Amino acid sequence: MSPVAAMIRDSARQCMAWLHGWTGLLLGHVLFIICLTGTLTIFKPEISQWMRPEARAVASPAEAILAATRWLQANSKDSTGWYLSAPDDRANIVEASYDSDGVYRTQALDPQTGAPVARETLGGEFFYRLHFELELPYPWGRLLASLAAMTMLVALVTGVIAHKRIFKDVFTFRPFKGQRSWLDGHNGLGVLAMPFHIMITFTGLLTLASLNLPWGMAGAYGEDMATMYADLAPGSVTRAASGEKAALAPLAPMLTTAQRHFGGTPIGRVYVFNPGDKAAVVTVYPSDAEAIGYMPAEISFDGATGHTLKAWTETRTGIRTYQTIYGLHMARFAPSLTRWLYFLGGAMLTMAIATGMVLWIVKRRERAPLSVGNRILERLNVGVLTGAPIGAVAFLIANRLLPLGIVARAETEVSIALWTSGAALALGMVLPPAIGWPVLLGGLAIGCVSAAFLGPIWPDGWPLATVNLLLLGVALALLPVIRRQVQRKRPPAPTRRRAVAT
C-alpha cells in the first residue's frame, strides 16, 4: 500500500473513531437504560409470574378468554372495548385492557375465574414500556428512543470501521491495566455479539418507523390516517356503536372457528369492540409464539349474532417482511435457548455501553486532569449506570413489601422504582466517584439479595426460581467489582503529570 493510501486509511479510521466516541457519548445514558430494560423484557412473562406468585391457576387460551369475558360482562359498564391477551406456555394470566364508566384500566385476570389476581402490578410490562417510552408522554419518549437507536446504529458501524484488529480484539483482555483493561472489555463485549447488536438495533429502529420515517406515509396518505390503517390491516372490521343494546353471542363457537382458520394455532388475542351493543365486533388473532412474523392473520365476527364478518391471512410481501422484522426484535417466537442467547446479547450490549462511558473518562484522566465537563460526566456515570439497575431492583422489592389491598398499588411500585433511581442519581452526583461507585454498587448487590429472599425462596415453578437465581448471580458478580473499588484509594495521577514529577 502506498504511503498516501495508508495515510487516507488511517485518517478515515481516526474520523470513524471520533464519530464512534461522540455518538456513543451523547445519548449513552439513555441507551444504557433502553438496553438494560430491553434485556429484561426478554423475560417479561417470567418476571410477571415472579411478581404474581399467588397466581398459579392454569387454563387453555380459549377457556381463559371465556372466563375473562364472563367477568368483564358482569363488572364493566358502558365499555367501548375489551382487549385481551390469552395465556400461553410462559404467561399464566389474561392481560386485559378495557374501559368502564369512562375509566381506562389494565388488569391481570385469573385464567380460571376471570377475576383480577390478588397482587396488582405491572410486572414485566413496566420494563417493556420503559424500554421504548422512557416514562415520557407520547410521542416524546418514543422519539427519544428512536433518536437513541439511530445514534447506536452509527456508533456500531463506525466502531467496526475504526477497529484495526476486530477479530483479535475478541480474545484480548489485559486485567488491571487501567485504560487498556476498559478498552479490552469494551471491545470484547461489543465485537463478540456484533451481529446481534446490529440486528437488534436495526429492527428496533424499524419498529418505530411510523415516527422516525413518516415521510413515505405522509406522501401517500397525507392526513388520512384512517385509510392508511385500513390498507395496512384490511382484515380489520370497524363500525360505530349503534346505541341499541344486545347481548354478546356465545364466544366459544367464534374461538373454535378462529382456531380452525388459523390452522390449529392457539388463540393469541381477542378484541371485543362495543361489547353489549348490537354493532359489537369480536376480532381474534393467533398466538405469535410459534412464528417469527407478527400478527399474520385475523378473523372478525358480529358480536350480536356470532356470524363471521371477515377473515384475513396476510400474504403481501412487504407487510410480511415488516412483520418478520418486528417479530425478530420482539423475540416472542424464541424457544428457550434462543431466548437466553437474546438475553446474553442484550446484557453484553448493555455492558459495552457502560464500559464505553467509563472508558471515556479513564482515557482522559490518564492524559491530563479532568475538565469540569468530564468531572460532571464521571459523576453522571456513577449515578446512571448504578441508578437504573437499582431502580429495577427497588421495583421488585416494592412488589414484595407493599400491602396487597392498597389503592393504586401498581402505580406505587413504579413511583418507588423511579424515586429510588432518582435518589441513586443524586448520590452519584454528590459523592466523590471513589466513594460513590462502591456505595451504590454495594446497594445494588444488597438489593438483589433482598429481592431474591423476600419472595418464595424456592417456589413451585422454574420461572420464579430462575429470577431468584439471576438476582443472586448478579449480586455475586458484583462482589469482586466492589472489592476492587474499595481497594482503590484514589484515581491514578495523569501520566503526563507523573512524567513531569519524575
Side-chain angles (χ1 to χ4, degrees), residues 286-353:
S287 168
D288 52 8
E290 298 183 1
I292 297 177
Y294 176 71
M295 212 168 68
E298 60 184 292
I299 182 169
S300 295
F301 303 90
D302 186 297
T305 65
H307 294 155
T308 302
L309 294 175
K310 187 183 283 187
W312 173 264
T313 299
E314 184 59 70
T315 57
R316 294 171 293 176
T317 305
I319 300 295
R320 289 298 293 150
T321 301
Y322 175 77
Q323 290 174 338
T324 301
I325 290 172
Y326 190 93
L328 273 173
H329 189 81
M330 302 300 287
R332 290 175 182 153
F333 69 92
S336 295
L337 177 60
T338 309
R339 207 175 306 137
W340 276 106
L341 289 175
Y342 263 74
F343 182 82
L344 183 62
M348 292 175 72
L349 182 56
T350 307
M351 292 303 298
I353 294 169

Side-chain angles (χ1 to χ4, degrees), residues 24-282:
L25 174 70
L26 288 177
L27 289 174
H29 293 136
V30 176
L31 283 168
F32 177 77
I33 295 171
I34 289 175
C35 290
L36 174 67
T37 51
T39 302
L40 295 175
T41 301
I42 297 296
F43 290 113
K44 173 187 162 186
E46 288 77 9
I47 292 173
S48 295
Q49 281 200 46
W50 187 91
M51 299 184 74
R52 299 186 185 100
E54 300 87 359
R56 308 306 304 156
V58 293
S60 70
E63 290 170 345
I65 291 294
L66 293 175
T69 53
R70 281 195 298 271
W71 186 86
L72 286 167
Q73 281 178 308
N75 293 277
S76 66
K77 184 179 178 184
D78 297 331
S79 180
T80 59
W82 304 336
Y83 308 94
L84 310 173
S85 296
D88 54 26
D89 292 339
R90 300 175 59 199
N92 62 343
I93 49 96
V94 177
E95 293 181 16
S97 298
Y98 62 98
D99 61 316
S100 179
D101 251 349
V103 179
Y104 192 79
R105 297 174 180 172
T106 298
Q107 287 186 305
L109 305 181
D110 185 280
Q112 291 184 353
T113 66
V117 299
R119 192 176 293 260
E120 184 191 354
T121 178
L122 289 183
E125 184 75 10
F126 168 62
F127 298 118
Y128 170 65
R129 293 284 166 186
L130 185 58
H131 172 60
F132 67 97
E133 292 183 337
L134 299 166
E135 288 293 317
L136 294 175
Y138 180 85
W140 304 112
R142 297 185 185 209
L143 283 172
L144 182 57
S146 291
L147 183 61
M150 288 181 194
T151 59
M152 169 67 87
L153 199 57
V154 172
L156 288 171
V157 173
T158 53
V160 171
I161 298 172
H163 269 290
K164 290 181 181 177
R165 301 167 301 177
I166 192 165
F167 293 107
K168 187 176 179 181
D169 286 344
V170 175
F171 305 101
T172 302
F173 183 68
R174 293 158 285 188
F176 310 120
K177 299 290 184 184
Q179 177 185 335
R180 288 183 185 278
S181 302
W182 286 104
L183 182 61
D184 290 343
H186 179 69
N187 288 341
L189 290 164
V191 172
L192 193 60
M194 178 63 72
F196 173 82
H197 295 166
I198 292 176
M199 181 277 291
I200 206 71
T201 306
F202 176 71
T203 55
L205 198 54
L206 287 190
T207 60
L208 298 171
S210 60
L211 283 177
N212 53 47
L213 296 170
W215 303 281
M217 291 178 285
Y221 294 97
E223 296 182 357
D224 187 6
M225 293 294 103
T227 302
M228 186 196 76
Y229 285 118
D231 287 348
L232 284 175
S236 298
V237 176
T238 56
R239 58 188 187 190
S242 66
E244 188 176 342
K245 291 193 177 299
L248 193 65
L251 209 60
M254 301 185 215
L255 299 183
T256 302
T257 302
Q259 194 156 352
R260 194 182 308 124
H261 173 69
F262 301 146
T265 301
I267 302 298
R269 288 177 294 147
V270 177
Y271 295 169
V272 182
F273 302 99
N274 307 317
D277 189 273
K278 191 176 180 180
V281 174
V282 178

